[in-house]
Amino acid sequence: MKNEISIPTLKRLPSYYNIVCNALGAGEKYISSASIARVLDVDDTQVRKDIAAIGYAGKPKVGFDLIKFKVHLEEYLEFDKKRKSILIGAGNLGIALSRYQGFAKYGLSVVAIFDNDPLKIGLKIADKEVLSLEKLKETIVENNIKIAILTIPSNKAQETTDMLISLGIKAIWNFSPIALDVPSDVFVQNQDLGASFTTFVNIASIKNII
Amino acid sequence: MKNEISIPTLKRLPSYYNIVCNALGAGEKYISSASIARVLDVDDTQVRKDIAAIGYAGKPKVGFDLIKFKVHLEEYLEFDKKRKSILIGAGNLGIALSRYQGFAKYGLSVVAIFDNDPLKIGLKIADKEVLSLEKLKETIVENNIKIAILTIPSNKAQETTDMLISLGIKAIWNFSPIALDVPSDVFVQNQDLGASFTTFVNIASIKNII
């Protein structure tokens, strides 16, 4: 069933989850598709379609039971499944991501941080020691890691990617503002923050807000 | 015309821009919609629709002229328009964003950084001094700032947002993993990195990659 969900729907699910958590935190019991649509700035119909796509249903005129909906989303998104990753690049962004409190609730963890700068190797970040790239292979193999987060400068991104793939990495969350060339069995998600910022500014312009 | 473009199309435009820049950097002259579609992992038809929506056209059997397409995108996305913003929260993420090299090409700049931690006030980050929140008002008014980037802990996010809005901020790029309550004339884009990571991992699972 999960294979049939569309990627845009999938991309909205974590936002549904956050909205549900916030509503629960505010002491509410039910939420309507209209309220969710308002927060996400999408159509009400779209919200109902998305939620139906993951096999959940609300009560007519009452809305979605927040507690049950939360559990449903957690199961659907497999938050109970621990996802181990490594992070390459102990710059400010890498440090911020390593320390980021928001990952744990999704079952995500960064098990090791790597850098090639001798001044950074050995530093402790969020209880993890920064390791030399020479330790990549043993860390990936011993922990059976498939996921890497890349927060390194653009000019090093492709060669590091090639190395990661040769060691068995299959999914890369790429913060370098460059498109990576990877084989078809490797998945890259680009998180170009400059592009995100310009989208944000352009949407605000379209809405005549700024 | 710009008002008629859909938000999903708009969200893809910066990626088109990066793909075009990378292809130019690799010495190419033309690019096909199929190549763009492959990098973005969307349909070829979707790419042609998106590009038509911004009023650009390729040559049959040749593709899009990279130099002209680049200029067209730059004009459409108004990269020549300088976008001034302020950043609140000089933690690792705030520092990373302040130093981020990738913003300049989009005409974006962070003009001031704010924090309420006395140990951080006065520090220099990317040539800018970290200012006390008491300086918010004069900075916003003097520079006519409408855009704020929020990289502060969740428990301070709403009160800081209220303050920013009272001082005239109209668009907030929110990195705190919490939904902000704002009036309808204020635009918030949430950049919940935990949610992005879980989406990334879920897409990789759907594709049977990890």
Side-chain angles (χ1 to χ4, degrees), chain A:
Chain A
M1 193 182 83
K2 201 161 167 182
N3 286 307
E4 287 161 24
I5 195 174
S6 81
I7 290 180
T9 295
L10 185 64
K11 286 188 175 172
R12 282 187 289 271
L13 296 183
S15 305
Y16 289 167
Y17 185 71
N18 281 334
I19 292 167
V20 165
C21 291
N22 288 331
L24 276 170
E28 288 161 43
K29 287 204 164 71
Y30 290 90
I31 195 163
S32 66
S33 53
S35 310
I36 299 176
R38 210 161 37 238
V39 179
L40 287 183
D41 199 16
V42 296
D43 268 6
D44 194 0
T45 329
Q46 184 65 64
V47 170
R48 275 178 274 129
K49 260 196 203 168
D50 286 347
I51 298 176
I54 61 166
Y56 192 66
K59 286 184 188 172
K61 297 192 187 167
V62 179
F64 301 98
D65 177 313
L66 286 165
I67 294 177
K68 289 183 186 163
F69 189 22
K70 178 167 179 276
V71 171
H72 191 91
L73 281 165
E74 284 168 350
E75 287 174 0
Y76 191 88
L77 293 169
E78 300 183 333
F79 289 174
D80 58 328
K81 196 163 166 181
K82 297 290 167 244
R83 316 279 194 177
K84 288 193 282 187
S85 68
I86 53 170
L87 187 143
I88 324 292
N92 287 297
L93 184 59
I95 295 173
L97 291 172
S98 309
R99 288 190 176 149
Y100 191 67
Q101 304 289 329
F103 290 154
K105 71 173 174 180
Y106 302 108
L108 309 169
S109 67
V110 174
V111 302
I113 303 162
F114 295 88
D115 206 289
N116 64 358
D117 180 347
L119 293 174
K120 287 179 180 165
I121 294 165
L123 287 181
K124 284 260 183 193
I125 299 170
D127 285 338
K128 284 171 284 278
E129 195 180 336
V130 178
L131 304 173
S132 144
L133 288 170
E134 286 159 24
K135 299 275 175 86
L136 257 183
K137 189 175 177 176
E138 61 177 89
T139 308
I140 291 174
V141 173
E142 276 174 19
N143 297 280
N144 188 27
I145 305 279
K146 300 289 177 204
I147 303 169
I149 306 173
L150 216 55
T151 54
I152 58 175
S154 297
N155 61 349
K156 294 279 176 197
Q158 185 63 51
E159 65 182 271
T160 307
T161 297
D162 294 344
M163 181 166 60
L164 290 168
I165 293 171
S166 75
L167 297 172
I169 291 297
K170 293 291 180 195
I172 298 172
W173 194 21
N174 175 35
F175 283 81
S176 313
I178 186 175
L180 300 172
D181 192 12
V182 300
S184 60
D185 66 336
V186 173
F187 173 62
V188 174
Q189 178 162 300
N190 292 308
Q191 191 86 39
D192 178 344
L193 294 169
S196 300
F197 195 2
T198 197
T199 303
F200 153 67
V201 166
N202 271 281
I203 295 174
S205 313
I206 283 184
K207 297 185 172 215
N208 296 314
I209 281 172
I210 54 169

